[in-house]
Amino acid sequence: DIVMTQSPDSLAVSLGERATINCKSSQSILNSSNKKNSLAWYQQKPGQPPKLLIYWAFTRESGVPDRFSGSGSGTDFTLTISSLQAEDVAVYYCQQYYRTPITFGQGTRLEIK
Amino acid sequence: EVQLVETGGGLIQPGGSLRLSCIASGFSVSTNYMTWVRQAPGQGLEWLSVIFSGGSTYYADSVKGRFTISRDDSKNRVSLQMNSLRGEDTAVYYCARDSGAGIKDWGQGTLVTVSS
């Protein structure tokens, strides 16, 4: 199975500042057929299901604010929130969909400093 | 509008069985990848199973041989039959539509509690 490891486990950032969450896969998740990395990012707020933010490592889902961006390739990926807003407080998960079993990172809890 | 509604959760004794259902609207389950993901209390997300549009199914090792995913195209419904339930199966179970590039649509989840 592909293991997804996020860092840090929790993060406190001041409003308006940049937040960066890292995700590392135990093997490459580069899809050879389309040359894209099979990596998604989700946001989950308390009592709600996860919400897809980013797929193919950097493609923003429709309706997601442009302060959210994804980057990385191969085995190392990053989710960046350029200017933290109060509504961004949540747990963030990365996920690989390169092969089954699909696997998630353990989650990163983002709070306001 | 896409909607997924899970039913069937509840309290069940260890060793028991439960069947979760997910009614979809706004799209056809037959032409999509339908998946189940669970989240134990205070824990992260765990992918459980997928049924592809062609009917192929895959499972996480943690539920293989105990859980079975199925689809009823006439009712636009996906189900998860869960047998030999254990305490560690206690979780919120989400039904979701996998686009093949991330899970775009999620139900609100149904809570399964395995306890005597």
Side-chain angles (χ1 to χ4, degrees), chain B residues 6-83:
Chain B
E6 304 97 335
T7 57
L11 176 63
I12 186 75
Q13 291 191 337
S17 297
L18 211 54
R19 187 177 184 87
L20 305 182
S21 290
C22 170
I23 297 290
S25 56
F27 71 98
S28 295
V29 299
S30 63
T31 58
N32 283 270
Y33 302 169
M34 298 302 297
T35 191
W36 287 93
V37 175
R38 72 183 177 187
Q39 186 168 36
Q43 301 302 307
L45 302 169
E46 181 186 15
W47 177 88
L48 299 179
S49 181
V50 63
I51 182 165
F52 290 121
S53 52
S56 300
T57 59
Y58 294 87
Y59 299 91
D61 285 346
S62 59
V63 303
K64 198 176 297 181
R66 298 189 300 127
F67 290 12
T68 303
I69 191 171
S70 62
R71 191 177 76 201
D72 184 337
D73 295 345
S74 67
K75 294 184 169 59
N76 213 31
R77 180 178 67 191
V78 178
S79 298
L80 187 68
Q81 176 66 41
M82 306 187 296
N83 299 330

Side-chain angles (χ1 to χ4, degrees), chain A residues 44-50 91, chain B residues 39 92 94 107-109:
Chain A
Q44 188 178 32
K45 297 181 179 180
Q48 297 182 18
V91 179
Chain B
Q39 186 168 36
V92 173
Y94 294 103
Q108 286 301 307

Side-chain angles (χ1 to χ4, degrees), chain A residues 10-82:
Chain A
S10 63
L11 180 63
V13 174
S14 300
L15 288 173
E17 295 300 305
R18 179 185 300 261
T20 301
I21 299 170
N22 301 300
C23 176
K24 188 175 184 67
S25 58
S26 60
Q27 65 184 81
S28 174
I29 53 175
L30 178 63
N31 188 317
S32 58
S33 63
N34 63 8
K35 300 295 187 282
K36 295 180 179 181
N37 290 279
S38 302
L39 190 283
W41 289 97
Y42 298 85
Q43 175 193 65
Q44 188 178 32
K45 297 181 179 180
Q48 297 182 18
K51 173 187 174 183
L52 178 64
L53 298 175
I54 303 280
Y55 57 97
W56 295 128
F58 62 85
T59 301
R60 206 176 298 115
E61 173 69 339
S62 175
V64 173
D66 60 7
R67 64 180 181 273
F68 291 91
S69 64
S71 62
S73 183
T75 61
D76 292 282
F77 303 91
T78 299
L79 174 70
T80 301
I81 307 172
S82 60

